Every structure is written in structure tokens, then in C-alpha cells.
Amino acid sequence: MSKKTNAVISAVLLVALCAFVMILEQVLPSTHIALTVLKKSCIYALVAVSMNLLNGFTGLFSLGQAGFMLIGAYTYGALTIPVADRASVYQYFDGGIIQFSVPVFVGLLAAGVVAAIFAWLIGLPVLRLKSDYLAIATLGFAEIIRAIFQWDKLGVVTNGSNLLRKFPTFNSVMFPLIVSGVCIAVIVLVINSSYGRAFRAIRDDEIAAEAMGINLAKHKRMSFCISSFFAGVGGGLLAMYQTSIQASTFKSAMTYEILLIVVIGGLGSVTGSCLASFLYIACSEWWLRFLDTEMYIGSFKVPFLRSGFRKVVFSVIIMIIVLFYRKGIMGDKEFSPARVYNWFQKKKAKKAGKEAAK
């Protein structure tokens, strides 16, 4: 299959996916769990792909994703709250210091830019570290940022430990789907560019990459900032999804969730991260919900089914995936029509070979 044919079929599949989601929105009520799962999956897919750019494609083990999402969420919320509503939102801080509001897309862009600026500043010292030390440093940064944003001295911007609310949100699945899709497409373009090849060279062997003339510090910082930019945009989308912002929700557990999605999907696979995001959210919040409800068959009570049992089963499923798919669902491969076509051709040739042998 030629590259042109592969690209055309991929484009048709993406259009079909958008059409399917639009039909689904018309058929199902707006509060249906399926639509809720799709909204959150789109947001987590973007954040997971941004983390995969850093961890999977560049080989930098960072755990600061929740911190950059928090920065993006607060930047979006603080800039987009209507002026008329600021007095009621910042009621303990004299209406806040920001007395203007920007459009939604400008707010999302600003969320990414501010997160990237923080990443550049933090990257200067921490990117000298490697492996577990880098992970600990970035995790510490995320926790420090979460504490600082609840500081009353910054209340004129962050509203302290109070909620940020009344900023623009979305109801349709198409909004996060399109925004996340465009952002992921940009990340894919970066991965397939000369910069992306430099990132992979650093991941495979830093010494060899430096010998080839790749500036390690520059490219590590670039990967860190790009990843943080899209994590900031994801934080803004998550704020819109939740309709309110509070720093206490951006805990380290959020980073671990995203890291788990990346590992399940496959380090170095964009489509793996997208697929794993949907499976993770759907299983944890929808498909396994019945396990939390007591069930009777006649007078016989089904054992184990009770509140919290869903998490036990979900944990077992994750363990099975990690044990039998150690490189994740997709490994470091990407889904494409050409790959599926080649797989069927190999199966067909193998079957033909067996029949000829008989």
C-alpha cells in the first residue's frame, strides 16, 4: 500500500470517527456516561501523548505532568472568567487583580504558553539530572506548585484555596475531540521532524547522539517545554470539563494515572496512548461500575460485589496487561491502514504456503 493511499484511508477513518461521535451526541442524552467518558478520554489522550513525547520518545523520566496541568488550568480559568463575575468569584480578594477576560482559544493557548515558561525555568536545573533523580525532582516541583497556588498571598490571581469558577466550559464532545486532535497532530509532526529524530537518538544513546552533533541540553529542554505546553492545554481542557478549578485535585495520583496510560498504550506509541486513554477511562468509570453494586440471583447474594470491588478488578486487569504485554498494547508501533493491510497479506501468504506444502 502506497503512502498516499495510507494517508487517504487514515483521513477517511478520522472523518468517520468524528461523524460517529456527532451521531452519538444526537442519539444519547447529554448526561449519558458514554459521552462523559469520551470527553475525559480526549483530554487524557492529549496529556498522555504529551507525556509520551517526553518519556517515550526522548527518554526523560518526568513526573511533573500534574503540575503543568495545574498551571494550565489556573491560567485558563483566571484569564477567561467574565469581568462581571470576577467580584463574586474573588469575593475574598477584592475581585482579584485581573480585570479583563480573553476568548476561550486565547485562554487555552495562554495555558500552554505559561506552562512552557515554567518548564523552561524548571528545566534549567532539573534536566541536568537523569532517570529516577529527574522523576523525583519533577514530582517535587508538582507538589510545590500545588501548595503555592493555594497560598493566600497569590489569592488575587489563584483565589487561594477557594474554587475558580464561572469560566467558559463545553457541553459537546466535539470541542475536546477537535482541540485534542489538533494538538496531537502537531505533536506527531514534531515527532516526525528532524527534532523528533534527535529526541529518539537521545533516548537510544546520549553519548552517540552527542557524538553526532546533537545538542543534548537544547533538545532535552525543547522536548520538556513542548510536552509541558500541551500538558498545560490539557489542564485548561480538564478545567472546562470539571467546570471548576481547585489545586487540591491535581495530586501526584493524577500523574501516576497518566503514566499508567502511557505504559499500557506503549512507550513511543501515539496511537497506543490514545487507545489506552479511552480503555482506562471507560473501564475505571463505566464498564466496571456494576461491580460496585450488590447483586442477588433469587435469594442468593453474589459474593464480593460491593462498593470498591471495581477498583480491585481494575487493578488485576492492569496487572495482567503489564505481565503479558510488557511493551504495552501497541509497543512502539503506530496503528495505520498500511500496517493492517500488510498483516493480512502476511497471514494470506502464510496460509497459501501451508496449503501448497500439503
Side-chain angles (χ1 to χ4, degrees), residues 68 71 117-127 137-138 141 145 224:
F68 295 116
I71 292 170
I117 291 172
F118 271 84
W120 185 82
L121 292 173
I122 292 159
L124 292 175
V126 304
L127 290 180
T138 51
F141 150 75
I145 285 292
F224 194 54

Side-chain angles (χ1 to χ4, degrees), residues 23-59:
I23 293 170
L24 208 61
E25 281 195 300
Q26 298 299 319
V27 173
L28 299 177
S30 59
T31 55
H32 196 279
I33 186 65
L35 300 180
T36 304
V37 166
L38 284 173
K39 291 174 186 176
K40 193 171 181 180
S41 298
C42 291
I43 298 167
Y44 269 57
L46 171 57
V47 181
V49 171
S50 72
M51 190 177 199
N52 210 344
L53 173 66
L54 193 61
N55 291 23
F57 288 95
T58 315

